[in-house]
């Protein structure tokens, strides 16, 4: 009888120990359904998924899971706990970086205007007067919103950025805004668009995409920052990202 009690106590202790070693799930939210960040949600292909897998292997404490969701829902979820990928402090009303925790380093990117008119050059926002702008539904374009509001520019929205190049090539509009990482990836995979789509000369706006966490997830943020200094992160950047042209 004593043996049975000892055996039961041992098994309970073993189960408790095993349970305590289960990693805590941390959700990484993103509202960017575009390459190279997300290529295929069903097959979980893209930098976002590779990052989550690499972080999970790196961490002894957390299992990181990607959740794609619209922007406002992503922000609401971030306020409730978790992380948000590939954002800039200006985009989430945290310019002073006091509302959320921010990664020590980010992904280099740059905003460009793209067009189907190779003769068009950027000479200030008046360049676009009378033009049709192709945007993404739900996106805000701070540089262009005043011109859209006063009727100088007509805005036509699409579901996602993958369609922008196609619509420009079909001359359904005159210009669009796109980050270079997305532009480069799409153009490499659609060589038939070469010569039909051009980057406007005279304008670019470099920026960085960061990883941010709610303040309740400081330990997870610390682990991410440590991971971003590893060779594995350099490998992922080399796989999915390209240097921004001067």
């Amino acid at each position: 009888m004593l043996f049975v009690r000892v055996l039961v106590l041992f098994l309970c202790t073993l189960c408790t120990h095993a349970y305590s070693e289960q990693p805590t799930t941390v959700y990484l939210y993103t509202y960017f359904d575009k390459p190279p960040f997300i290529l295929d949600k069903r097959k979980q292909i893209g930098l976002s998924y590779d990052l989550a897998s690499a972080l999970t292997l790196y961490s002894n404490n957390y299992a990181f899971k990607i959740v794609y969701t619209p922007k406002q829902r992503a922000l609401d979820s971030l306020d409730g706990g978790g992380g948000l990928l590939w954002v800039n402090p200006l985009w989430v009303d945290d310019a002073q970086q006091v509302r959320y925790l921010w990664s020590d380093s980010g992904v280099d990117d740059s905003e460009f205007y793209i067009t189907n008119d190779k003769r068009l050059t950027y000479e200030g926002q008046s360049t676009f007067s009378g033009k049709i702008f192709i945007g993404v539904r739900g996106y805000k374009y701070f540089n262009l919103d005043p011109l859209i509001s006063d009727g100088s520019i007509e805005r036509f929205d699409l579901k996602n950025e993958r369609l922008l190049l196609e619509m420009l090539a079909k001359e359904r509009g005159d210009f669009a805004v796109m980050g270079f990482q997305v532009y480069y990836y799409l153009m490499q995979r659609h060589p038939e668009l070469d010569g039909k789509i051009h980057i406007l000369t005279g304008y670019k706006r470099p920026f960085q995409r960061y990883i941010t966490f709610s303040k309740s997830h400081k330990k997870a943020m610390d682990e991410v920052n440590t991971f971003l200094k590893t060779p594995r992160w350099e490998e992922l950047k080399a796989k999915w990202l390209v240097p921004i042209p001067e």
Side-chain angles (χ1 to χ4, degrees):
M1 192 68 175
L2 179 60
F3 172 76
V4 173
R5 289 179 179 177
V6 171
L7 179 61
V8 170
L9 180 61
F10 171 75
L11 292 174
C12 288
T13 303
L14 185 64
C15 290
T16 301
H17 179 69
Y19 180 79
S20 66
E21 288 190 342
Q22 292 297 312
T24 301
T25 299
V26 173
Y27 294 105
L28 298 176
Y29 300 97
T30 181
Y31 57 88
F32 293 112
D33 179 16
K34 56 187 178 183
F37 308 106
I38 290 181
L39 273 68
D40 190 312
K41 293 193 291 291
R42 184 177 62 83
K43 296 180 180 179
Q44 298 193 351
I45 299 173
L47 174 58
S48 298
Y49 296 108
D50 278 6
L51 174 64
S53 297
L55 283 170
T56 299
L57 289 174
Y58 179 79
S59 175
N60 292 320
N61 303 303
Y62 303 106
F64 295 86
K65 306 290 184 184
I66 296 296
V67 178
Y68 169 74
T69 186
K71 181 178 180 178
Q72 189 54 56
R73 192 175 301 169
L75 292 176
D76 292 342
S77 299
L78 176 62
D79 287 331
L84 182 62
L85 298 182
W86 320 131
V87 292
N88 187 279
L90 295 175
W91 304 344
V92 295
D93 296 324
D94 194 22
Q96 303 304 315
Q97 300 186 25
V98 295
R99 183 176 181 181
Y100 304 116
L101 303 173
W102 292 87
S103 56
D104 294 335
S105 60
V107 167
D108 292 329
D109 210 337
S110 188
E111 177 183 279
F112 289 92
Y113 291 122
I114 58 175
T115 181
N116 47 29
D117 185 356
K118 64 181 181 181
R119 300 166 299 177
L120 191 65
T121 58
Y122 181 76
E123 298 175 355
Q125 298 300 82
S126 61
T127 300
F128 305 121
S129 181
K131 304 291 185 184
I132 298 175
F133 169 65
I134 304 180
V136 177
R137 190 176 304 120
Y139 279 26
K140 290 185 177 181
Y141 300 92
F142 298 103
N143 290 347
L144 299 173
D145 282 347
L147 296 176
I148 295 169
S149 296
D150 70 17
S152 299
I153 295 174
E154 180 182 348
R155 176 172 173 171
F156 176 72
D157 279 347
L158 300 173
K159 182 180 179 181
N160 58 57
E161 285 191 88
R162 290 181 175 88
L163 299 173
L164 293 182
L165 299 180
E166 179 183 345
M167 291 296 101
L168 281 176
K170 292 180 178 179
E171 299 186 354
R172 303 287 178 83
D174 299 305
F175 75 105
V177 176
M178 187 172 284
F180 185 76
Q181 298 291 354
V182 178
Y183 173 82
Y184 181 87
Y185 193 94
L186 291 174
M187 290 297 289
Q188 288 297 304
R189 279 146 188 80
H190 295 280
E192 71 278 7
L193 297 178
D194 187 35
K196 297 180 179 180
I197 307 296
H198 313 276
I199 293 177
L200 264 71
T201 59
Y203 176 87
K204 71 173 182 176
R205 187 175 66 85
F207 64 92
Q208 288 211 312
R209 299 178 180 272
Y210 294 92
I211 301 170
T212 185
F213 276 83
S214 66
K215 290 193 171 181
S216 63
H217 279 61
K218 184 179 185 306
K219 289 185 178 180
M221 181 80 268
D222 290 343
E223 288 208 15
V224 169
N225 275 325
T226 303
F227 173 78
L228 296 180
K229 298 179 176 69
T230 65
R232 179 57 179 148
W233 173 234
E234 296 301 319
E235 291 173 2
L236 292 182
K237 288 197 295 183
K239 175 182 177 181
W240 291 108
L241 304 172
V242 294
I244 305 301
E246 297 294 334

